Amino acid sequence: ENTIPQKLISVYEIVLSQSNNSSNDNDNDNSSTNKNSIDEENLVPQDVLDEMKRNGIEFAPNNNQPAGQNKIAMVAWYMKIKTIEYPNGRELLIVGNDITFNNGSFSVLEGNLFSSVCRVAKKLGIPFIFLSANSGARIELSSKLMSCFKVAFKNNIPSHGVDYLYLNKEDYEKVGENEVLCEKIEEDKYKIISVIGTKESSLGVKNLSSSGLLAGEMSSAYDSTFTLTYVCGNAVGIGAYLVRLGQRSIQNIHHPLLLTGFKALNQLLGRKVYTSNLQLGGINIMYSNGVSHYTVENDNDGVECILKWISFIPGRKGQIYPAIVGSSDDDLPTRQITVDPESNTYDIEELISGTKDNSDLLSDTISISSDFQKDQSKEDEEEKK
């Protein structure tokens, strides 16, 4: 199943709540500084509002936009979440395809929103998250012409094929000469030469031009801020390119990353070579080749992976990552380093822990490491036999 981005936002709240409960189970300190949640009280910072306004983004505070009321196949959020690393809240800019609207395809309007949010993230250094579930660039048709054009057949015989498309005089005047270029053949017959559309429409190569803009923005965003993509649905064409250009990606095991579907390739090859899109862009291809860095089975795991990943980066680019002090006094930042290597041969684990007594800090790591080495040695011996 494809996931709509509005649902994923609620998943963020669930995962943050689960993380908070887990933290409380492992820590007796239940103060608000250890709680993870979405911050709905603090207002959006003025620099974010100014940058949104500068890029033409209309902001609906506190997620007041009802789900399913969006008029384009893309939605975006400015989100502030409270985490262990940032108890006062950290910022995220999230953009997602709405698969329920024109299959989540990209047109000029979707491209404008994506690019605008991307520019805000680049300017302010806020992490940029893309929720990818789309069908690539949109092949848009003129709804006005679809309801009124007529077909002229060669020799007036349908089996001989189509000669041209035309409009009668009434329909031509209704559509308007600014939207369609026609050649008058008879008094009541106007042969369609070219469909122009209105300035607001996204016909022809306009959507492809918008796709080029998207690729440029995502590529520069990777250089300017932290970018991360979660492939929560099929990512096709420009949708797959954006995943790759953003570099860091998490892929749902049920959805592929691909440029061309398997049916089109089979038709091109003239025989049935591929049986599914997962065979072309599933995790066996994309994860194995390093395009996807993590794989997840469901959206809950996907959001958990996103939050885990961003826990290793600062709130904004250039900021100092906050030092996290645990509730115990075992490993405070002020502790003394007692290890003094006497020669070039030394134990790296002693340097990391800062003490020769590894029983507290690295005992689990050493135990796991030694057990793994024993198991690996057994496997090697069995293979030799």
Side-chain angles (χ1 to χ4, degrees):
E1 294 181 359
N2 288 312
T3 299
I4 61 173
Q6 291 91 336
K7 176 187 173 185
L8 274 174
I9 297 303
S10 62
V11 176
Y12 272 88
E13 298 187 68
I14 295 172
V15 173
L16 286 167
S17 176
Q18 291 172 344
S19 177
N20 178 43
N21 293 334
S22 175
S23 175
N24 288 339
D25 290 341
N26 298 326
D27 192 346
N28 292 326
D29 182 8
N30 293 328
S31 64
S32 60
T33 57
N34 286 328
K35 290 186 177 181
N36 297 330
S37 63
I38 292 181
D39 186 2
E40 296 182 350
E41 297 178 359
N42 294 336
L43 297 176
V44 180
Q46 191 59 44
D47 60 344
V48 176
L49 290 174
D50 292 342
E51 201 61 34
M52 285 182 175
K53 186 177 180 180
R54 193 174 293 114
N55 285 278
I57 301 174
E58 294 184 10
F59 182 71
N62 296 325
N63 198 24
N64 286 335
Q65 178 71 32
Q69 297 300 310
N70 45 295
K71 295 184 172 122
I72 62 173
M74 183 164 283
V75 288
W77 292 269
Y78 168 85
M79 184 185 294
K80 201 169 184 181
I81 58 175
K82 295 179 180 178
T83 65
I84 295 175
E85 301 82 22
Y86 287 89
N88 294 325
R90 68 171 304 154
E91 302 166 293
L92 296 177
L93 281 169
I94 303 175
V95 173
N97 301 111
D98 187 351
I99 200 71
T100 65
F101 191 102
N102 283 330
N103 290 324
S105 56
F106 290 89
S107 72
V108 174
L109 295 177
E110 285 79 13
N112 289 341
L113 177 58
F114 185 98
S115 301
S116 297
V117 177
C118 205
R119 284 192 288 268
V120 174
K122 290 189 296 181
K123 178 71 174 178
L124 302 178
I126 300 174
F128 180 77
I129 313 297
F130 176 37
L131 308 177
S132 180
N134 54 75
S135 56
R138 187 178 307 163
I139 302 175
E140 192 160 343
L141 304 175
S142 173
S143 57
K144 287 184 180 180
L145 289 178
M146 287 177 64
S147 62
C148 62
F149 77 85
K150 296 173 176 56
V151 180
F153 297 100
K154 294 178 181 178
N155 304 320
N156 291 325
I157 302 175
S159 60
H160 287 188
V162 177
D163 191 5
Y164 57 86
L165 305 178
Y166 70 93
L167 299 172
N168 59 33
K169 185 176 182 180
E170 181 183 352
D171 291 331
Y172 175 65
E173 291 175 349
K174 185 189 302 181
V175 174
E177 58 182 15
N178 293 328
E179 294 190 39
V180 60
L181 180 63
C182 291
E183 175 187 345
K184 186 176 180 180
I185 296 179
E186 299 175 6
E187 182 62 31
D188 194 39
K189 186 178 287 188
Y190 291 80
K191 179 181 177 181
I192 299 175
I193 304 298
S194 178
V195 180
I196 303 170
T198 62
K199 290 183 179 180
E200 294 76 21
S201 63
S202 304
L203 306 181
V205 298
K206 287 183 179 180
N207 292 337
L208 297 180
S209 300
S210 177
S211 296
L213 173 66
L214 290 172
E217 291 291 350
M218 190 61 152
S219 181
S220 62
Y222 173 74
D223 295 328
S224 303
T225 188
F226 175 83
T227 55
L228 175 61
T229 303
Y230 171 39
V231 182
C232 55
N234 297 350
V236 183
I238 182 59
Y241 272 121
L242 292 175
V243 175
R244 188 68 189 96
L245 291 170
Q247 300 292 331
R248 308 173 190 89
S249 62
I250 303 164
Q251 185 174 1
N252 189 304
I253 63 173
H254 305 293
H255 299 292
L257 273 163
L258 68 158
L259 300 180
T260 306
F262 77 99
K263 292 182 179 179
L265 287 179
N266 286 342
Q267 196 170 20
L268 180 65
L269 296 170
R271 56 196 179 95
K272 191 175 181 180
V273 178
Y274 303 104
T275 57
S276 74
N277 287 328
L278 288 174
Q279 196 175 354
L280 293 169
I283 60 171
N284 290 334
I285 301 296
M286 296 304 171
Y287 179 70
S288 301
N289 287 284
V291 175
S292 297
H293 301 95
Y294 290 96
T295 60
V296 295
E297 294 185 1
N298 52 58
D299 291 331
N300 192 82
D301 292 343
V303 172
E304 187 175 345
C305 191
I306 292 173
L307 296 174
K308 180 70 173 177
W309 203 328
I310 65 171
S311 70
F312 291 95
I313 64 169
R316 291 193 184 187
K317 184 177 180 180
Q319 291 182 348
I320 298 175
Y321 187 81
I324 304 173
V325 180
S327 58
S328 66
D329 296 332
D330 295 337
D331 192 31
L332 294 174
T334 55
R335 66 170 166 79
Q336 296 297 315
I337 297 176
T338 59
V339 174
D340 184 14
E342 298 176 357
S343 65
N344 292 333
T345 303
Y346 52 82
D347 188 347
I348 187 64
E349 291 176 343
E350 292 179 355
L351 296 182
I352 294 173
S353 64
T355 176
K356 290 188 177 182
D357 182 12
N358 295 321
S359 58
D360 293 331
L361 188 62
L362 289 175
S363 58
D364 292 339
T365 305
I366 295 169
S367 174
I368 293 171
S369 176
S370 58
D371 291 342
F372 174 77
Q373 290 174 356
K374 291 177 183 177
D375 294 339
Q376 192 65 39
S377 299
K378 290 180 182 179
E379 291 180 4
D380 294 340
E381 290 177 3
E382 292 177 356
E383 288 181 0
K384 289 179 181 179
K385 291 180 182 179

